[in-house]
Amino acid sequence: MSFVAPWILLALALVVASVAFDAWRPWRCHGALKGAAILVRGLLLCALVLALAGPTVEQPGEAPLHVFVLDRSASIDEERLDLAMERIEALAHSVPSGHRRALVLADGAAVLAVQPDEPWSLERPERSEAAMGTDLAGAVGLSLSIIDPSAGGRVVVVTDGGDTHGGLDRAAREARDLGIALDAVPIPAPPEKPGILSFELERDVVRAGETLDASLVLRGGSIDGARLELLLDGEPILDEDTALPPEGVARRRLAHPLPADVEPGPRTLTARLAIEGRRVQERTIGLTVGPPPVALLVAEREREHSGIAAVLLSQGFEVRHLTPGATTADQLPEVDLVVIGDVPAAISSSGVTPLSESFLSALRRWVSAGGGLITLGGDQTYELGGWGASPIARALPLDLAPEAEDVEPAITVVHVIDNSASMGDWSGQQRKMALANEATVASMRLLRARDQIEVMAVNTEVHRVLPLQPATDPTRMAAMIRSIKPRGGGIYVYTSLIAAEQTLARSETPLKHIILYSDAQDAEEKVKGMEFGWGPGPNSYQVAERLVRKGVTLSVIALGDPRDQDVPFLRQLAEIGGGRFHITREAEELRALYLEETRQIVRSVVKDGAIYVKARDPHPALEGVRIGSAPPFLGYVEVRARATATVPLVAAGQKPILASWQYGLGHVASLSTDLGPRWGRRWLGFDDYHRFVAQLARWALRPPVARGAALEVHPHVRGMKIEVQRLGPDGLALAEGGISARLLGPKSRPLELRPIEPGRWIGIAEVEPGSSHEIAIDSEEGEIARQAVVAPPPLELDRTTGQGATQLAQTSGGRLDPEAVGEPSAAQGQPRPIGWIFALIATLLLPLDAWLRRPARRP
């Protein structure tokens, strides 16, 4: 007996106290009557307390029930179904006498075939229309629902373990919570037959002429050989012998070029395996042939890329030529490969418009998102073109700021700055003097600690603003340079050169250089002591010649117009001094000119002359290329590869000629030479030039991606499940906007999609397994994508073996492959309330209690 509210039984202590009080207090009657009254009152109160506590007793239920579940789905053939029925029959006969039995049949739905109270009868079940599915969880749930907990029971599941509906773990946990064990009897897997178990593409979108990268899972056996066919829309594109694994399964990678004349659009691809001329199995999947790749070639002159363009055109590329000034970030989403030639990333004295910072920033992001980039060497690329300070530097496989002292000896730079009164004029939002000061500061910051610098402010006199010293305290030196103010007449060139000569005489660095900055209309004292004009006596040209003999070079940066009066003198002075001459009309460009000049003198990295290259690291661009027979390049830019980069080609001394790596999702290749008429003109006639350029471009090329939307197809009980991800113009996921889908064909129909997360939808298409279809995705603007799909094989047949049996037994605490039925769960009985009995006893005792106590109340 048990109680619904056992805490009420504490009131029995009060009953005992009441009985004790009655026995103690005096009564007006004899002892026998007193004792009877006290006893009846105690019994009445006890019955009342017990009635309030809700007593119950367990009522025995029916005999225990053993439920047998037979998996009769299509994944189990007739022979294995007979074996399963034999196991159930044997286990059913081991059920103890007096226990009951029931039978549940499972395929796409669960059916109670033998009721618990019916005579046991096991006949071959007929296959239902839903046999292409297996709902084991539903069958377990049905079994649990017919087991009476008051009687107890057990469930035995005979299955191959494949499940198409899911929920097995939940069903097993439910059985465990009810205390009912699930025994599982695995149906052996069918004999393994050779065939194709799966066929998948690495990429669902492939361009014409590109390589199809596929993965085949083949089951083998004791077979000498087989033949594999690949068919595109039913037309053979590959037919070759293939080796099958002697036992078990093996994955085979298949790489085969897509025909170059295939039109873009949805296609089907079939892998067919034949043994002894007999078709064994085939698998068909959907494929989208993407549009031709677009290459953007950036160079000042189109002829720089003429060789590359010819190769790309022959490969089916669409080629677009642009000058640096015409490139914009808006063009990147439309292209798949960018090739940058000999162009700077900062203002150059050559007159070439540099690549804009906004374009280079966008280019880096585009590469990180999967874009392909090839950069070529030249006088204006990498460090020489200001690439090291540009946003694209992070994406290159090159270290653009090496510090090797044996390659880059120390240098002394003397800056001679015109600070005449004309430098106080405004240029834009700043005075010319302030711009010249900032340009000098930027130049100073490029120097290394082993370099030395002196800054002179010159008008009619020389003011050593920053005396000769190592470039070790850039903050302090920058403040001193910025203190220069305009004053006095024009710059005295002769006097300033003599002062610079005196300074450099005290310097011991291997390299020495002077940067003279002057107003192109105000360069005075060309001859010693002669403020204007030209005459006899020591002159500036003679000083420049003397400096050159001492190993000192001189460059001139002029502010003004090329037609200004002092331009011929300043240009000739730079030529005699062995340096460079720069002129600009805009003072805002001074900083870029100073930086370019400093880079040129700090690093002399352009190496002219014939160089032969050799292969070092393996790379797809070198496959089949006879590098040992290649002609020399006629020059290159000395660069250093990053530690994590691949270096396929090197020159003497292991100097990188080609470096590559993956940046984000994109591929980047950087050559320190070019592939055009300057340094690569001998390669233009090389037999393998075409192969090398094509393979390099294909390697770097942005992978083709679905535009507008991407589709994934998965098997489903009712056909196929479609997952759709909306994509932006760049092929990246887009989490906004709505879409709808249509199944195209003779009977086009809409497909119902439901969102599962922003920008992602799923839907179910009821189609025949193996059938081919086209699916169109529409947005508010119209159709945004169309893709060929092939309905996967039935989910049931794709899972001929599984872990369902083991999962059921382990989770519920049952046994795997038992020889006999186990003990049923303990009978819990049916609780029966009996409180009414005690209430009736209390009611019957109440009149007697009152009658016995009447004498005690008499006066």
Side-chain angles (χ1 to χ4, degrees):
M1 184 172 62
S2 59
F3 296 90
V4 176
W7 56 271
I8 295 179
L9 297 177
L10 296 175
L12 292 175
L14 299 176
V15 174
V16 173
S18 174
V19 171
F21 176 75
D22 269 354
W24 171 78
R25 71 183 179 87
W27 286 64
R28 295 179 181 273
C29 58
H30 57 80
L33 184 62
K34 175 183 177 180
I38 292 173
L39 177 63
V40 170
R41 174 63 63 88
L43 291 175
L44 186 150
L45 292 176
C46 285
L48 186 59
V49 170
L50 291 174
L52 293 175
T56 61
V57 295
E58 297 292 337
Q59 181 180 6
E62 299 178 289
L65 175 63
H66 297 265
V67 183
F68 296 90
V69 177
L70 174 60
D71 181 353
R72 61 170 181 179
S73 59
S75 63
I76 302 173
D77 56 31
E78 299 298 323
E79 181 179 351
R80 294 161 64 225
L81 183 61
D82 289 338
L83 292 175
M85 293 176 62
E86 290 176 7
R87 286 300 309 274
I88 287 183
E89 194 67 61
L91 290 170
H93 280 90
S94 69
V95 172
S97 177
H99 290 199
R100 299 178 300 154
R101 297 172 293 188
L103 176 65
V104 173
L105 300 178
D107 47 35
V111 178
L112 183 59
V114 177
Q115 299 277 355
D117 298 323
E118 292 180 354
W120 176 258
S121 174
L122 182 60
E123 298 179 359
R124 169 176 284 281
E126 295 182 1
R127 305 277 186 163
S128 70
E129 294 182 359
M132 275 300 175
T134 306
D135 185 9
L136 287 181
V140 170
L142 177 58
S143 302
L144 296 177
S145 69
I146 62 176
I147 295 178
D148 186 351
S150 66
R154 199 173 186 97
V155 179
V156 180
V157 182
V158 182
T159 176
D160 64 355
D163 177 64
T164 63
H165 285 58
L168 270 186
D169 189 62
R170 174 184 49 78
R173 283 188 278 107
E174 181 183 353
R176 182 190 60 196
D177 295 341
L178 293 173
I180 300 175
L182 303 176
D183 294 337
V185 179
I187 299 176
E192 295 183 349
K193 298 180 180 179
I196 303 173
L197 297 185
S198 70
F199 178 37
E200 298 176 347
L201 282 174
E202 293 292 328
R203 292 182 285 125
D204 293 333
V205 184
V206 184
R207 302 183 185 93
E210 289 187 339
T211 299
L212 289 167
D213 292 314
S215 174
L216 287 165
V217 177
L218 302 173
R219 175 181 286 151
S222 55
I223 298 172
D224 294 335
R227 197 156 189 85
L228 179 66
E229 285 184 276
L230 202 61
L231 301 97
L232 184 66
D233 285 344
E235 296 295 326
I237 60 173
L238 174 68
D239 186 359
E240 64 180 20
D241 292 330
T242 187
L244 297 178
E247 58 183 20
V249 299
R251 182 177 295 273
R252 179 186 167 185
R253 312 296 299 185
L254 182 64
H256 187 74
L258 195 65
D261 57 352
V262 177
E263 292 293 327
R267 298 285 182 269
T268 59
L269 190 66
T270 302
R272 178 184 296 168
L273 184 67
I275 297 175
E276 297 177 351
R278 177 174 51 88
R279 182 186 302 177
V280 175
Q281 195 176 25
E282 66 180 34
R283 292 285 178 121
T284 302
I285 54 179
L287 166 71
T288 299
V289 179
V294 179
L296 178 63
L297 309 186
V298 182
E300 181 65 18
R301 294 172 298 277
E302 190 173 316
R303 63 185 297 268
E304 292 182 34
H305 287 155
S306 57
I308 297 176
V311 173
L312 297 183
L313 288 170
S314 69
Q315 289 286 305
F317 282 63
E318 178 187 337
V319 176
R320 302 176 184 177
H321 294 271
L322 285 178
T323 61
T327 55
T328 63
D330 296 340
Q331 297 158 343
L332 291 175
E334 303 175 2
V335 302
D336 304 290
L337 175 67
V338 174
V339 181
I340 300 179
D342 187 18
V343 295
I347 296 174
S348 166
S349 62
S350 64
V352 176
T353 303
L355 295 166
S356 68
E357 185 170 348
S358 61
F359 171 76
L360 293 175
S361 296
L363 179 63
R364 181 181 62 79
R365 294 191 299 269
W366 177 79
V367 170
S368 181
L373 174 64
I374 298 176
T375 62
L376 305 176
D379 290 332
Q380 300 179 90
T381 55
Y382 308 139
E383 276 296 313
L384 299 180
W387 286 44
S390 72
I392 198 60
R394 293 166 52 189
L396 300 184
L398 303 177
D399 181 359
L400 298 183
E403 289 292 335
E405 292 194 27
D406 56 336
V407 176
E408 304 157 30
I411 187 171
T412 298
V413 180
V414 175
H415 287 272
V416 179
I417 303 176
D418 180 355
N419 76 326
S420 60
S422 63
M423 292 297 292
D425 296 340
W426 289 89
S427 178
Q429 300 296 318
Q430 289 183 282
R431 297 185 185 273
K432 295 179 181 179
M433 191 74 258
L435 294 170
N437 291 345
E438 290 303 321
T440 307
V441 169
S443 171
M444 175 269 296
R445 293 188 184 279
L446 289 180
L447 299 181
R448 303 146 302 186
R450 60 180 179 272
D451 298 327
Q452 292 186 311
I453 183 174
E454 176 165 299
V455 179
M456 303 175 181
V458 181
N459 42 67
T460 57
E461 296 178 352
V462 173
H463 305 275
R464 299 182 188 272
V465 177
L466 187 67
L468 183 65
Q469 57 190 280
T472 54
D473 190 356
T475 301
R476 178 184 58 83
M477 293 189 295
M480 297 175 69
I481 294 170
R482 291 188 178 112
S483 68
I484 299 175
K485 306 296 182 184
R487 65 183 69 177
I491 181 174
Y492 274 25
V493 176
Y494 180 85
T495 298
S496 64
L497 293 180
I498 293 297
E501 183 180 26
Q502 293 170 351
T503 294
L504 292 171
R506 303 194 308 271
S507 172
E508 297 181 355
T509 60
L511 300 178
K512 301 174 184 181
H513 189 69
I514 300 171
I515 300 178
L516 171 67
Y517 167 69
S518 172
D519 191 320
Q521 290 185 325
D522 202 15
E524 300 177 2
E525 199 198 18
K526 302 176 180 63
V527 179
K528 180 180 178 180
M530 186 176 296
E531 186 173 358
F532 300 107
W534 194 268
N539 59 60
S540 300
Y541 292 160
Q542 294 170 344
V543 180
E545 292 173 349
R546 188 165 64 245
L547 288 169
V548 169
R549 290 195 296 269
K550 295 178 181 179
V552 179
T553 53
L554 167 66
S555 290
V556 176
I557 297 177
L559 180 61
D561 188 277
R563 295 169 294 183
D564 287 344
Q565 60 184 8
D566 291 328
V567 168
F569 163 71
L570 295 172
R571 188 189 302 274
Q572 183 68 17
L573 183 65
E575 183 177 340
I576 294 173
R580 288 158 295 277
F581 175 72
H582 310 269
I583 185 167
T584 179
R585 297 184 180 90
E586 302 296 334
E588 289 87 347
E589 296 183 0
L590 290 177
R591 184 178 185 276
L593 295 176
Y594 266 75
L595 288 174
E596 180 182 353
E597 179 62 25
T598 307
R599 290 191 187 100
Q600 290 280 359
I601 60 176
V602 171
R603 298 188 64 215
S604 180
V605 296
V606 176
K607 308 296 180 182
D608 288 307
I611 56 159
Y612 288 88
V613 297
K614 60 180 181 180
R616 193 179 83 175
D617 298 340
H619 195 277
L622 300 185
E623 292 182 6
V625 179
R626 295 162 295 175
I627 294 297
S629 303
F633 287 104
L634 301 181
Y636 70 103
V637 180
E638 191 173 274
V639 295
R640 176 184 293 179
R642 295 185 189 267
T644 55
T646 298
V647 183
L649 289 178
V650 295
Q654 297 295 308
K655 300 296 184 183
I657 297 299
L658 172 62
S660 68
W661 72 351
Q662 181 170 330
Y663 181 76
L665 300 177
H667 287 169
V668 183
S670 293
L671 288 113
S672 59
T673 186
D674 63 25
L675 295 172
R678 181 186 177 187
W679 289 333
R681 63 175 177 269
R682 294 191 183 179
W683 268 61
L684 293 174
F686 178 37
D687 291 341
D688 290 337
Y689 175 82
H690 185 283
R691 177 188 292 270
F692 173 72
V693 173
Q695 292 179 165
L696 182 62
R698 290 287 185 189
W699 172 84
L701 191 62
R702 177 169 65 163
V705 295
R707 302 296 175 92
L711 279 71
E712 293 182 8
V713 176
H714 306 280
H716 191 269
V717 176
R718 305 203 322 259
M720 61 181 175
K721 180 173 72 173
I722 301 167
E723 294 190 18
V724 183
Q725 172 71 63
R726 184 160 188 185
L727 306 177
D730 54 3
L732 300 180
L734 188 66
E736 58 186 36
I739 62 170
S740 59
R742 292 173 290 135
L743 190 68
L744 305 180
K747 296 182 179 179
S748 298
R749 64 182 188 271
L751 292 178
E752 183 177 348
L753 300 178
R754 62 180 179 86
I756 55 175
E757 59 184 60
R760 196 170 187 87
W761 294 261
I762 63 171
I764 306 300
E766 297 185 4
V767 295
E768 290 295 323
S771 57
S772 300
H773 307 273
E774 284 189 26
I775 295 180
I777 306 299
D778 301 311
S779 70
E780 301 84 356
E781 295 82 18
E783 185 176 308
I784 59 175
R786 181 177 294 204
Q787 184 170 322
V789 298
V790 176
L795 192 62
E796 175 68 26
L797 300 183
D798 243 17
R799 302 185 180 185
T800 54
T801 59
Q803 299 300 316
T806 305
Q807 182 181 357
L808 287 172
Q810 289 180 345
T811 304
S812 67
R815 300 175 301 165
L816 189 65
D817 202 12
E819 293 297 327
V821 296
E823 291 295 325
S825 61
Q828 300 177 10
Q830 185 69 30
R832 179 181 178 184
I834 58 173
W836 65 272
I837 297 177
F838 293 99
L840 178 62
I841 292 173
T843 302
L844 294 176
L845 289 176
L846 184 61
L848 180 60
D849 176 70
W851 181 79
L852 290 173
R853 289 178 178 270
R854 286 184 64 187
R857 293 194 295 270
R858 291 173 182 170

